[in-house]
Amino acid sequence: MASWKETDTIIGGELVKAQAPIIISVSRSTDIPAFYADWFFDKLKQGYSVWINPFNGLKSYISYKSTRFIVFWSKNPRPLIPYLSILKEKGIKCYIQYTLNDYEKERLEKVPSLANRIDAFKMLVQELGVGSVVWRFDPMILTDDITINDLIEKVRYIGDALKGYTEKLVFSYADIAAYKKVEYNLKRSGIPYKEWTEPQMEEFAQRLSLMNQEREWNYQLATCSEKIDIEKYGILHNRCIDADLIARLAWDDKSLMEFMKIKVQPIPTPSLFDDGEPEFPNGAIRLPHNQYFVSSHKKDPGQRALCGCMAAKDIGEYNTCPHLCEYCYANTTKQLALDNWKRHQQNRNSDTITGK
């Protein structure tokens, strides 16, 4: 299922070809909510932005005239809060993949305090609803100073704080060797990282699952793009851009449901001779007002083999995130990210994030 088509759009008085995505990702490549929220909502108002292909440097126009749903990704989405009313006015639904880690003591990220970020999580849930803010602890990184016990304790503290505020916890095991620039940058910063072994992954999964039960969090546990199968602990392979979650949150958007080929149907009323609940087809998911739909999630073939996401147009740019996480895969170097952030601040109304 492609999430966009080409359309003729008038930009600067000229007719140009633009991609017109129905579902957009904001963004895997950088933290737009934290650093570029004003830019994004200005572009949304204007109706377009320009995206630079990271592989060939070519520019293309992105039109927002058909956009019906946004998946936000952020480590600090608090700046989104004043803009959520704009989405409501436009009838655009969203959810947030909120990466809420605790590496404060180790200084692996430049983010607000943990207390500030937990508070922001709860504020966003109050605005959007429980299912609309997904907790990510990503990645789980081992070092000489961070053990499995430490990670379990970090998750326990945040998990307790978020009980009742989210449905899901998504995590991944830091795979440093797979990303050479990450490996290089960690070594350059003197971070004594360790690669996960499969027995360690199993141990962590088992302990996390047990803690989820014992503390009655009832989170759906899921891994992001992990090869290891730990479903025996109730941990699924995640779909970060998830057609089923989109449908649950935007089932009343007829044009979006038609695009996604999802048919919302009334739950059959049991007759006097029926015993118990009505029978549902495989993949049926309940909705409000005694309705349901059948899952039709299809993986984006353009993503990595282990990625379960559906197709969506990402509008971000690499090398633009000033969080400066030590394990970042999206910045080649910290200096390049800071240079692009400075360039953006000097040209905040540019069609691109970097102003290039």
Side-chain angles (χ1 to χ4, degrees):
M1 179 193 300
S3 65
W4 61 87
K5 58 184 178 180
E6 276 204 341
T7 184
D8 290 327
T9 301
I10 297 176
I11 296 175
E14 296 183 8
L15 192 66
V16 302
K17 290 289 186 183
Q19 299 174 45
I22 308 294
I23 301 168
I24 60 174
S25 169
V26 183
S27 156
R28 288 185 178 95
S29 306
T30 191
D31 197 330
I32 288 177
F35 299 107
Y36 305 101
D38 55 347
W39 172 85
F40 172 69
F41 281 92
D42 181 60
K43 297 301 109 183
L44 191 66
K45 180 180 179 180
Q46 291 184 25
Y48 76 95
S49 63
V50 173
W51 178 72
I52 301 176
N53 188 308
F55 301 105
N56 57 27
L58 295 178
K59 295 182 178 181
S60 58
Y61 287 100
I62 310 296
S63 167
Y64 299 119
K65 71 177 186 179
S66 300
T67 298
R68 305 301 307 155
F69 202 95
I70 301 173
V71 178
F72 290 105
W73 310 67
S74 185
K75 290 188 173 183
N76 176 29
R78 184 184 286 266
L80 280 180
I81 293 173
Y83 294 103
L84 294 177
S85 60
I86 295 174
L87 296 183
K88 291 178 182 178
E89 290 169 7
K90 290 181 173 292
I92 297 174
K93 300 287 182 66
C94 72
Y95 67 81
I96 302 170
Q97 293 280 349
Y98 191 156
T99 300
L100 181 52
N101 301 336
D102 177 13
Y103 295 124
E104 277 190 326
K105 182 178 70 174
E106 297 82 8
R107 298 183 179 179
L108 297 182
E109 307 167 329
K110 292 186 183 301
V111 292
S113 70
L114 181 59
N116 178 291
R117 287 177 286 136
I118 289 173
D119 182 60
F121 195 108
K122 294 178 178 180
M123 291 173 67
L124 286 160
V125 170
Q126 289 168 359
E127 291 287 333
L128 297 172
V130 173
S132 298
V133 190
V134 178
W135 174 29
R136 302 176 71 90
F137 199 124
D138 185 20
M140 298 288 177
I141 186 168
L142 293 175
T143 72
D144 287 351
D145 304 313
I146 304 175
T147 65
I148 291 177
N149 287 341
D150 294 327
L151 290 173
I152 289 292
E153 179 59 22
K154 291 173 186 291
V155 173
R156 182 203 62 76
Y157 180 84
I158 300 175
D160 283 349
L162 296 184
K163 184 177 179 180
Y165 285 90
T166 190
E167 299 175 342
K168 182 183 280 189
L169 165 57
V170 181
F171 68 97
S172 69
Y173 300 108
D175 187 2
I176 309 302
Y179 298 93
K180 293 303 178 185
K181 65 181 178 183
V182 177
E183 184 176 32
Y184 172 80
N185 288 332
L186 284 172
K187 288 179 178 179
R188 187 178 181 183
S189 296
I191 307 297
Y193 72 88
K194 295 182 177 181
E195 293 286 352
W196 285 84
T197 65
E198 192 162 314
Q200 286 175 321
M201 293 180 189
E202 289 273 353
E203 177 190 345
F204 179 83
Q206 185 175 24
R207 292 177 63 180
L208 177 62
S209 177
L210 183 61
M211 185 165 61
N212 188 37
Q213 296 173 34
E214 290 180 342
R215 305 192 77 80
E216 298 182 345
W217 291 339
N218 299 317
Y219 299 144
Q220 174 59 70
L221 305 177
T223 57
C224 181
S225 295
E226 290 290 349
K227 183 177 180 180
I228 188 170
D229 185 356
I230 43 181
E231 285 197 23
K232 60 188 174 185
Y233 304 117
I235 301 174
L236 306 179
H237 293 286
N238 197 50
R239 305 182 313 207
C240 300
I241 300 180
D242 185 350
D244 291 347
L245 179 54
I246 290 172
R248 282 178 52 207
L249 298 175
W251 58 268
D252 54 348
D253 185 327
K254 293 182 179 179
S255 63
L256 178 59
M257 294 301 98
E258 183 178 341
F259 164 74
M260 295 175 67
K261 296 182 171 55
I262 288 176
K263 184 178 181 182
V264 176
Q265 303 181 72
I267 294 175
T269 302
S271 72
L272 293 174
F273 303 100
D274 289 331
D275 183 18
E277 290 281 322
E279 290 189 12
F280 289 95
N282 290 334
I285 297 173
R286 286 179 179 255
L287 293 171
H289 308 299
N290 292 317
Q291 300 176 104
Y292 76 97
F293 71 95
V294 176
S295 173
S296 62
H297 179 91
K298 292 181 176 61
K299 169 186 161 47
D300 179 2
Q303 292 294 336
R304 296 170 292 171
L306 296 173
C307 175
C309 290
M310 69 169 290
K313 176 58 185 172
D314 199 286
I315 65 159
E317 292 183 42
Y318 289 113
N319 296 309
T320 60
C321 186
H323 282 315
L324 306 182
C325 302
E326 297 291 351
Y327 49 78
C328 180
Y329 70 88
N331 290 338
T332 302
T333 66
K334 294 178 183 179
Q335 190 58 52
L336 182 55
L338 289 174
D339 289 345
N340 282 327
W341 170 236
K342 183 177 179 180
R343 184 179 293 109
H344 167 80
Q345 291 176 306
Q346 294 169 345
N347 192 6
R348 302 179 75 92
N349 296 321
S350 172
D351 290 343
T352 66
I353 289 175
T354 57
K356 293 180 180 178

